[in-house]
Amino acid sequence: MSIRLGVPSKGRLMDKTFAWFAERGIEMRRTGSEREYAAEVAGADIDLRLLSAGEIPRELASGRIHLGVTGSDLVQERIPAWEQAVEVVAEMGFGHADLIVAVPTCWVDVSTLDDLDAVAAQFRQRHGYRLRIATKYHRLVRDFLREAGVADYRLVDSQGATEGTVAHGTAEAIADITSTGETLRANNLKILEDGLIHRSEATLFRARGAEWKAHERQALSEFFSRLGLD
């Protein structure tokens, strides 16, 4: 068996992943049309699999792939007790984004999590239901707000553009990924001063639960040596 390596299947994340490996002497290339999702690693015993960035945490956690490249935010959100399931091999220096808590800019007296907690309590007393925070990152946001002591809120799932949920009246605040903050500002939202939940970047992970026979371990050692990671 070859080492199974999952990498993003399209877009800038795939291009930058290929470039990162190429800079370290590992050539990755597509072997078919874009619809075939087929690729290979030149001169290495690697079974290269093109997957969506969101699929890779699941495949790592299940042990169906040995290595995977995806955002650290996705791994920490989608794998319970993620440090027991995967190991960080290398932070790759691209795909940076911050998972943050943001509120309407018109909330002039709300700039910290303590302020948000106070507003949430007032909101529930006034309206009879909990303040809604729209997000795609339920686990990370819930853990973060619990540690910060924020109560009286409810997470609502966002399937589309999270930044638009406040304007559309389906949430009062959001927790979302941002790179520049421009979309937040365009939607009249501001990041809380202490509202940084996680700094994400593309990361190479190793699956702790994958089957590592002697052949795979030898191939991994050779692969890491070529990458300068041994």
Side-chain angles (χ1 to χ4, degrees), residues 5-6 45 97 102 114 121 124 131 139 157 219:
L5 167 60
D45 190 11
D114 282 345
R124 186 177 186 184
L131 181 145
R139 177 178 288 110
D157 194 43

Side-chain angles (χ1 to χ4, degrees), residues 66-87:
H66 295 93
L67 301 169
V69 174
T70 191
S72 56
D73 60 311
L74 295 176
V75 163
Q76 293 191 25
E77 171 63 23
R78 300 188 181 188
I79 304 179
W82 68 273
E83 290 176 303
Q84 298 175 28
V86 300
E87 174 189 3

Side-chain angles (χ1 to χ4, degrees), residues 23-38:
E23 289 169 1
R24 291 156 179 80
I26 303 290
E27 181 188 356
M28 296 180 170
R29 55 186 177 233
R30 299 192 77 118
T31 57
S33 70
E34 291 192 4
R35 295 187 179 184
E36 290 181 75
Y37 295 100

Side-chain angles (χ1 to χ4, degrees), residues 4-218:
R4 300 181 294 277
L5 167 60
V7 302
S9 59
K10 56 187 176 181
R12 293 182 63 191
L13 199 55
M14 182 190 74
D15 294 340
K16 290 191 173 185
T17 297
F18 279 23
W20 187 88
F21 281 100
E23 289 169 1
R24 291 156 179 80
I26 303 290
E27 181 188 356
M28 296 180 170
R29 55 186 177 233
R30 299 192 77 118
T31 57
S33 70
E34 291 192 4
R35 295 187 179 184
E36 290 181 75
Y37 295 100
E40 65 181 8
V41 177
D45 190 11
I46 301 292
D47 175 9
L48 186 60
R49 302 187 177 187
L50 299 182
L51 304 167
S52 73
E55 288 179 302
I56 291 172
R58 181 192 65 203
E59 297 301 290
L60 284 166
S62 69
R64 286 189 289 267
I65 58 177
H66 295 93
L67 301 169
V69 174
T70 191
S72 56
D73 60 311
L74 295 176
V75 163
Q76 293 191 25
E77 171 63 23
R78 300 188 181 188
I79 304 179
W82 68 273
E83 290 176 303
Q84 298 175 28
V86 300
E87 174 189 3
V88 173
V89 175
E91 296 173 337
M92 303 174 75
F94 60 87
H96 293 99
D98 292 340
L99 177 60
I100 53 81
V101 179
V103 300
T105 53
C106 62
W107 291 10
V108 294
D109 294 329
V110 180
S111 58
T112 68
L113 290 167
D114 282 345
D115 297 334
L116 179 64
D117 183 50
V119 165
Q122 295 168 8
F123 185 93
R124 186 177 186 184
Q125 186 176 24
R126 181 179 302 171
H127 298 281
Y129 62 92
R130 293 182 176 181
L131 181 145
R132 298 164 297 175
I133 302 175
T135 190
K136 298 179 179 72
Y137 295 87
H138 288 245
R139 177 178 288 110
L140 284 170
V141 174
R142 187 179 296 111
D143 290 348
F144 177 77
L145 293 178
R146 181 175 61 248
E147 291 178 7
V150 178
D152 282 330
Y153 70 90
R154 173 166 69 96
L155 296 183
V156 293
D157 194 43
S158 169
Q159 296 296 332
T162 305
E163 299 94 340
T165 56
V166 174
H168 296 156
T170 56
E172 285 69 52
I174 72 163
D176 199 22
I177 285 286
T178 183
S179 296
T180 65
E182 291 183 8
T183 305
L184 293 173
R185 290 188 288 272
N187 285 276
N188 300 309
L189 297 169
K190 64 180 181 180
I191 302 171
L192 294 180
E193 293 173 1
D194 52 355
L196 175 64
I197 300 171
H198 175 68
R199 290 195 184 278
S200 180
E201 71 175 289
T203 303
L204 175 62
F205 293 96
R206 182 181 71 84
R208 297 186 187 276
E211 186 176 6
W212 293 92
K213 294 182 179 178
H215 175 72
E216 280 104 3
R217 292 185 184 280
Q218 179 61 32

